[in-house]
Amino acid sequence: MTTLHSRKSIDRSPLRRTMAGSGVAPSVTANKQTTEIGQPVMHFNSRIRNFSLAAVIGCGALLLVGVASAQQNIAPASTLDVAPATIVNTEPNYVMEQPVPPREILFRPTMDRGAYDSAKALENSYAPGAVKPFTEAFAPLATPLIRLTNFNGHSSTEGLRPPDTHGAVGTTHFVQVTNSHIDMWTRQNTQVLPLGKSVTLATFFGYTAQTLFDPRVVYDSTWNRWIVTAEAFAESATVQRFFIGVSTSADPTSTFFIYNLNVNFFGNNNFWDFPQLGMDQDAVLITANIFNGNSFLGADFFAVAKARLYNGLGFSVPVFTGLVGTLAPPIVRDQNASTFLIAAPPSGTTLSKYTARDTSKATTLTGPVSITVPSYSVPPDAHQPGTTKLLDTSDSRFVNASTQSGNDLWQTHTIALGSFPSPKFYRLNTSANTVSQSGFYFASGTSDDFNASIAANDAGDCFVTWTSTDASVGRNAQVRASGKLSAGAGIAAGPNAFISPTFYHPSSDNPERWGDYSAVTTDPLNAANAWLVNEKVNSGGLLWGSRIVRIGF
């Protein structure tokens, strides 16, 4: 059960709903009507009518469209109250599954939709024979190699696209989540890992009222816990579900605490989209983009104490709204008292950094602070050989959690490099608010490269994965991996983990949806290794697949 109390005026009219985690759709009636006896009360507040960004944030308009020049304290808009979790065992088929019809999950840019479409159309005007305006000239100290494990992950079975494939490695398992499935492989030093458990997200979370999508998973190696999240399409104008699952041990095939949140915080038909998952020493971090129709309202952020989540307890946390989107939380690898969240607007010369403190108690948030970077813009879509079908490269957002360690904050995004999409990485100094290291990385001078993620270890070595195509040489979508040692100048092309047998053409759409994200995580048993999961194309080109790979220096 979730209850949201606004720090501004509260609409005291009762709206009633079921207990969280029950898997039962809430029963909501008009104000001053009653529902089932004994159901908890939820208070909503209109984001538009009662919530003034200018009053709460000061320069709220700047936060929605750009970066403020000076850091400022940000007041939370509301308090989110959530009941204790239910505990479930993820045995297959304990929920009667509802079939999911084939469905494309739309991409929602944070810039004006018309401007976004125009920008993509302009970038896509790429001529045959084009080459990148430059190639990186550094000599890498080393690149990671594939370390035996390299096998097929989950493939399209639920009729959803894109897969939004994400994953994490723990001490005993590798866990992958997709639209809309969770798969758990037992760790071994073999090429192909044995599958320990495979269930739909509907089964995992015990929810079938709406389709679940945008899943994420992280492993907390300090406390040996798995955290899994996913959102659902809206049930009504006032209800949209977001689920948090927390394992009760290091074994993901055992029991989980399940939290069922209503993230339509103000009950006004807003849409919670593209949630991201991070963590620091004390709390689990959640961000999301908020839309009303095609209008972007800003990003939301809240943090929940691990001490409560990991014990299945209820919680009450402040919610911050109207932030720069898309806001990436970090995976914090040390005991830093400050937690840094970062956003890359669709184009420009700055990144926006926020600082959160006391995330396990009463979170405070300041920012944004501008970090100057070379000018960038949205990437063109990717070409495929043998077809005019393009692959969607999304916008310039950071699609996954950062890595934070000491003064370092690592991130990557896909941007335009001449007429090509190409990932660029940043090693940011959070103390000086400057770029310590950065650079593009790609397969070749004629490749289209996109859908990238990054992770780093405590030594400052980083690992990346991305998708690459090259129509000029007949190369279909690759799963690529690379990285660099801390002192290295940049990231080289790195090894190819898999080449798809054909081009992707599941629909009449052009471009075809791809991504929207991949994942790479460092190995808790060997810091010189990392595990990645990324999208591929299955035989026939009508279904997506995925590939899981272990790499290391």
Side-chain angles (χ1 to χ4, degrees), residues 382-398:
H383 293 70
Q384 301 183 91
T387 181
T388 58
K389 288 271 191 175
L390 302 173
L391 297 180
D392 188 0
T393 60
S394 182
D395 59 14
S396 308
R397 70 185 59 188
F398 296 137

Side-chain angles (χ1 to χ4, degrees), residues 373-538:
V373 297
S375 179
Y376 66 89
S377 61
V378 297
D381 292 320
H383 293 70
Q384 301 183 91
T387 181
T388 58
K389 288 271 191 175
L390 302 173
L391 297 180
D392 188 0
T393 60
S394 182
D395 59 14
S396 308
R397 70 185 59 188
F398 296 137
V399 301
N400 212 340
S402 315
T403 299
Q404 178 183 327
S405 181
N407 289 331
D408 284 337
L409 189 70
W410 296 84
Q411 257 300 356
T412 188
H413 62 166
T414 302
I415 58 178
L417 177 55
S419 56
F420 294 84
S422 181
K424 188 173 189 178
F425 84 92
Y426 303 95
R427 186 179 190 173
L428 305 174
N429 185 311
T430 56
S431 177
N433 294 319
T434 57
V435 178
S436 301
Q437 295 176 331
S438 69
F440 287 99
Y441 53 98
F442 38 75
S444 73
T446 56
S447 60
D448 290 331
D449 303 271
F450 56 104
N451 194 32
S453 295
I454 192 168
N457 60 24
D458 291 338
D461 309 321
C462 78
F463 305 86
V464 294
T465 181
W466 76 98
T467 300
S468 181
T469 65
D470 196 331
S472 68
V473 296
R475 185 184 301 136
N476 292 303
Q478 294 179 291
V479 175
R480 294 201 71 96
S482 191
K484 74 176 196 68
L485 297 174
S486 181
I491 297 174
N496 161 52
F498 183 83
I499 302 179
S500 300
T502 188
F503 58 84
Y504 190 52
H505 57 104
S507 74
S508 60
D509 295 341
N510 196 12
E512 295 283 6
R513 296 284 280 115
W514 188 272
D516 290 317
Y517 42 82
S518 56
V520 58
T521 56
T522 55
D523 192 332
L525 299 182
N526 184 344
N529 285 353
W531 296 62
L532 65 90
V533 60
N534 213 325
E535 184 175 354
K536 69 179 184 72
V537 184
N538 289 344

Side-chain angles (χ1 to χ4, degrees), residues 6-26:
S6 171
R7 296 292 179 95
K8 304 282 286 180
S9 60
I10 298 177
D11 182 353
R12 299 293 181 181
S13 302
L15 294 174
R16 304 190 183 271
R17 50 174 291 175
T18 59
M19 289 295 291
S22 66
V24 180

Side-chain angles (χ1 to χ4, degrees), residues 210-223:
Q210 291 288 334
T211 300
L212 290 157
F213 65 105
D214 275 354
R216 307 273 183 168
V217 57
V218 298
Y219 180 70
D220 185 340
S221 59
T222 301
W223 297 104

